[in-house]
């Protein structure tokens, strides 16, 4: 919910919001009760790599899934995947998954082409299947269906997403998880694997401020849009 509210205020883009919500679930895949799911993820990645390789398609997609699974297996709970370095590495691998899956070749992708839009949605649905809680996934599918219908009937204009926004939405989702966990009694090991020291509320507040500053620097136009939107009520 925290990732959803943050992304809703920042992005005004349903796909970026979906990526942020998915990413907010990912750090806890280092938990023991997720081990069977992680092993299934690695097996899926291996099968996908072989399948895509023999078809002459980008088999890197499967390799990225295998590497992600390996990270979760090697990380203790609230360890590496809840650290600053872990957030950056997870952001990198999840972005690569989308990059290879969508076939991004520029910083801006115009999704007025229905085929490009369908490819993007298929990749994001795959991410949801891999990382979302089973109870959340039906809601996620409904949201995607509503998005498609809204575009087709003209309620939402054709989507355009850029690589910077895509990566930041993943980063925001991961950070939102770390921020909230820092407010728990256990805190987070922010500098794992280099240090086992636990950090708490102050670290969470600092990370939240850094996240907001990054957004302001990366997307100044969205700040202007938000200000104009608020001023329209006066």
């Amino acid at each position: 919910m925290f990732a959803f509210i943050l992304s809703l205020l920042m992005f005004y883009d349903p796909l970026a919001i979906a990526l942020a919500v998915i990413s907010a679930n990912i750090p806890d895949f280092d938990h023991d009760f997720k081990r069977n799911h992680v092993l299934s993820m690695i097996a899926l990645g291996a099968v996908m790599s072989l399948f895509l390789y023999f078809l002459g398609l980008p088999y890197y997609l499967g390799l990225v899934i295998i590497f992600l699974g390996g990270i979760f297996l090697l990380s203790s709970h609230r360890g590496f995947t809840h650290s600053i370095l872990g957030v950056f590495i997870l952001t990198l691998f999840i972005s690569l998954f989308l990059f290879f899956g969508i076939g991004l070749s520029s910083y801006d992708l115009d999704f007025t082409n229905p085929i490009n839009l369908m490819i993007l949605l298929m990749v994001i649905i795959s991410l949801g299947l891999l990382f979302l809680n089973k109870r959340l996934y039906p809601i996620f599918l409904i949201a995607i269906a509503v998005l498609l219908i809204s575009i087709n009937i003209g309620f939402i204009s054709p989507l355009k997403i850029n690589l910077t926004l895509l990566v930041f939405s993943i980063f925001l989702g991961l950070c939102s998880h770390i921020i909230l966990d820092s407010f728990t009694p256990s805190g987070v090991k922010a500098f794992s694997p280099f240090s086992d020291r636990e950090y708490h509320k102050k670290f969470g507040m600092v990370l939240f401020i850094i996240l907001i500053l990054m957004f302001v620097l990366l997307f100044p136009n969205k700040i202007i849009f938000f200000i104009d939107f608020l001023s329209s009520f006066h």
Side-chain angles (χ1 to χ4, degrees), residues 128-140:
L129 185 61
L130 284 171
F131 298 117
L132 274 181
N133 186 292
K134 291 180 180 179
R135 289 173 294 180
L136 293 176
Y137 194 66
I139 299 173
F140 177 71

Side-chain angles (χ1 to χ4, degrees), residues 116-156:
N116 288 341
L117 177 60
M118 287 302 298
I119 292 173
L120 175 61
L121 290 173
M122 285 175 63
V123 173
I124 291 178
I125 288 171
S126 299
L127 268 178
L129 185 61
L130 284 171
F131 298 117
L132 274 181
N133 186 292
K134 291 180 180 179
R135 289 173 294 180
L136 293 176
Y137 194 66
I139 299 173
F140 177 71
L141 288 179
I142 292 171
I144 292 294
V146 170
L147 170 63
L148 282 173
I149 294 169
S150 299
I151 292 171
N152 288 330
I153 66 176
F155 184 71
I156 296 178

